[in-house]
Amino acid sequence: MYQINSHYQPIVSLAHRRVVGYEALLRAQKSDGQPCSPLDAFAEADRKGCLEKFDRGCLISHIKKYTTIQNEDKWLFVNINSATINPENLRANLVNHQLKKLGFSPHNIVLEILEDGAKSTQQLKTFVDYYRKLGFLIAIDDLGTGHSNFDRIWELKPNIVKLDRSMLVNARNDSARQRWLTRCIALLRETGAIILVEGVETQDDALLTLDADADLAQGYFFAKPNPTGCHDQAWLLNELHMLHHRSLYDQTERQRGHTHKKLAIKHMLLDASKAVAQGIEFQLATSELLQHCAVERIYLLNTEGIQTIESLTPEHSQTLSPKTYAPLSRSDGALWARRAYFRNAMEHPEQVQISTPYIGLPNANLNITLSKAIYRTFSGEKNVLCVDINAQYLNE
């Protein structure tokens, strides 16, 4: 039908700074020697009613060739065609027999399957559990395409999750998507999976992948697929060393800039808190702070975390139509006791507290809150003075 061959692309551990596995990729030729895509080859096998046999043949072919070019203890990633994930294909005797003949163990094989490849979650889980009990590792491939279902990931608990290159491409010049990529990786890691990012094509892609805290990476930047999986080890070690160095340097510089900007607002907040504590009218006491370009709102909380007056909002923060979040626009009476910036301010009244970034109400911007407990000398009241700033300001 087709002449099949294998190419191998290295998979890199960013922390270990070395290749830890290879993905086997099908290369097929027609009888006349013309190349054809793997999709066409599998479609032809499906038409002839031998899809499962062809899929298994590709797997065995990948393993046979791999053992001749790679003797180290590294993973071999092999794709399983979605159509073969069914109750009738729970037979691994042929594969296990071939593995034993070649001196290969199932724990060296990572079976890549598409999360949405099976018709039902139970069918996919049965397939995954069956092969996992035999010792194979399971990877969910191309997460982030189509109708990805995070519930299935929790149900299947794969060893490895491969994020589709589209997630990296979309995050290249979009800070919001970069944050989502980082949080997505952290969330997926909660399932117990190792996270691999595909489609790393440039040094900036590699840096973004490293900053997002992915475990593994794969792409043309490290090496293109080739018949032997060869790569320049010296270059790779040096490049990964430089990436780590650059990432740490950028992180330090960002932190230095953030600290400088936060310090300026912190001093203004301290001045405002002293004025409020002395009984100066709230808007007058906070007028300088209210003019700062990053400030979005200023407000007071009582000892129960209840907002006692309506937020002061500077004109420059009115970036959205007032009607967009009209039901959330009034905040007096809101209860913020569960927010860490309130609890920390109450527990450490002498210090200004600075929160981590979060999506704030009412405008759904990424905010950071600075807070300080104050004692009003004229009334003996204890309050927490809060100022929300746009987190994007720190990166400008």
Side-chain angles (χ1 to χ4, degrees):
M1 181 171 60
Y2 285 103
Q3 179 183 353
I4 60 174
N5 203 346
S6 304
H7 279 204
Y8 302 89
Q9 185 172 38
I11 291 172
V12 174
S13 168
L14 298 171
H16 293 85
R17 298 184 297 164
R18 58 182 171 83
V19 171
V20 295
Y22 297 86
E23 180 175 2
L25 300 165
L26 177 65
R27 296 294 183 265
Q29 287 184 333
K30 298 177 183 178
S31 55
D32 59 4
Q34 293 296 314
C36 72
S37 73
L39 288 176
D40 289 340
F42 274 99
E44 178 67 15
D46 193 21
R47 282 193 294 269
K48 293 188 175 182
C50 57
L51 181 60
E52 292 176 8
K53 181 179 179 181
F54 182 68
D55 190 40
R56 190 163 52 243
C58 291
L59 171 59
I60 293 171
S61 176
H62 290 325
I63 295 170
K64 276 185 176 180
K65 184 177 179 184
Y66 182 73
T67 56
T68 67
I69 64 174
Q70 180 57 249
N71 295 317
E72 297 180 54
D73 188 23
K74 289 183 171 61
W75 287 316
L76 176 64
F77 289 67
V78 291
N79 291 277
I80 299 296
N81 188 275
S82 299
T84 67
I85 300 175
N86 58 68
E88 288 74 36
N89 193 30
L90 298 182
R91 295 187 291 274
N93 291 336
L94 290 173
V95 175
N96 269 332
H97 177 67
Q98 288 292 334
L99 288 176
K100 289 178 181 178
K101 282 177 60 177
L102 297 168
F104 221 67
S105 170
H107 75 260
N108 293 119
I109 306 293
V110 181
L111 301 179
E112 294 189 25
I113 58 177
L114 294 174
E115 173 265 323
D116 60 352
K119 294 180 180 178
S120 71
T121 299
Q122 186 55 50
Q123 183 173 301
L124 187 60
K125 190 173 187 304
T126 300
F127 186 91
V128 166
D129 289 346
Y130 177 81
Y131 279 92
R132 182 155 35 212
K133 286 178 182 177
L134 293 172
F136 293 92
L137 279 75
I138 304 297
I140 297 297
D141 196 14
D142 291 345
L143 188 76
T145 61
H147 303 285
S148 296
N149 188 334
F150 272 67
D151 285 342
R152 275 191 168 187
I153 303 300
W154 283 93
E155 184 75 18
L156 299 173
K157 294 191 180 301
N159 303 99
I160 298 170
V161 173
K162 300 184 73 174
L163 300 186
D164 184 72
R165 66 181 300 272
S166 62
M167 295 187 69
L168 185 59
V169 170
N170 291 333
R172 281 174 180 165
N173 299 302
D174 189 323
S175 59
R177 293 201 182 199
Q178 288 171 15
R179 290 192 298 272
W180 160 239
L181 179 62
T182 301
R183 291 172 183 173
C184 180
I185 288 173
L187 177 63
L188 289 168
R189 195 174 280 122
E190 290 291 328
T191 70
I194 292 170
I195 312 303
L196 187 157
V197 173
E198 299 179 294
V200 179
E201 297 182 351
T202 66
Q203 188 180 71
D204 285 343
D205 282 351
L207 187 63
L208 180 55
T209 302
L210 183 63
D211 287 342
D213 202 24
D215 304 296
L216 308 176
Q218 177 183 0
Y220 282 7
F221 176 70
F222 302 111
K224 293 183 178 180
N226 61 80
T228 63
C230 67
H231 58 281
D232 188 332
Q233 295 186 33
W235 174 88
L236 180 63
L237 179 61
N238 181 68
E239 190 64 32
L240 288 170
H241 175 76
M242 294 302 294
L243 283 170
H244 278 275
H245 179 77
R246 180 180 165 188
S247 177
L248 289 171
Y249 175 80
D250 289 349
Q251 188 178 61
T252 301
E253 288 300 300
R254 281 196 302 270
Q255 190 62 42
R256 183 178 289 116
H258 290 184
T259 299
H260 178 74
K261 290 181 176 180
K262 288 176 183 176
L263 191 60
I265 299 175
K266 177 181 175 180
H267 287 318
M268 296 172 71
L269 176 63
L270 284 170
D271 290 341
S273 66
K274 291 175 183 176
V276 173
Q278 292 169 3
I280 296 174
E281 193 269 330
F282 188 62
Q283 186 159 357
L284 180 61
T286 59
S287 59
E288 183 182 2
L289 191 59
L290 200 63
Q291 294 173 26
H292 193 285
C293 64
V295 171
E296 294 201 339
R297 64 195 65 85
I298 304 173
Y299 48 100
L300 272 178
L301 310 180
N302 65 17
T303 54
E304 295 178 352
I306 298 173
Q307 186 168 333
T308 57
I309 57 175
E310 185 52 57
S311 300
L312 297 179
T313 306
E315 292 183 7
H316 62 251
S317 72
Q318 303 296 329
T319 56
L320 297 174
S321 166
K323 296 182 179 179
T324 303
Y325 293 103
L328 304 174
S329 60
R330 289 196 58 183
S331 299
D332 55 316
L335 179 60
W336 306 114
R338 296 180 68 252
R339 298 292 175 103
Y341 59 76
F342 167 75
R343 299 197 308 274
N344 291 339
M346 293 292 290
E347 291 173 8
H348 306 281
E350 303 304 317
Q351 303 170 5
V352 173
Q353 303 299 318
I354 303 177
S355 77
T356 56
Y358 67 97
I359 298 298
L361 299 177
N363 56 5
N365 283 347
L366 191 69
N367 288 155
I368 291 173
T369 298
L370 288 80
S371 55
K372 173 72 172 66
I374 58 174
Y375 294 91
R376 296 201 186 198
T377 54
F378 67 95
S379 65
E381 243 184 304
K382 184 177 181 180
N383 291 107
V384 175
L385 175 62
C386 302
V387 54
D388 293 350
I389 67 171
N390 191 323
Q392 187 60 36
Y393 163 74
L394 300 179
N395 295 316
E396 291 174 352

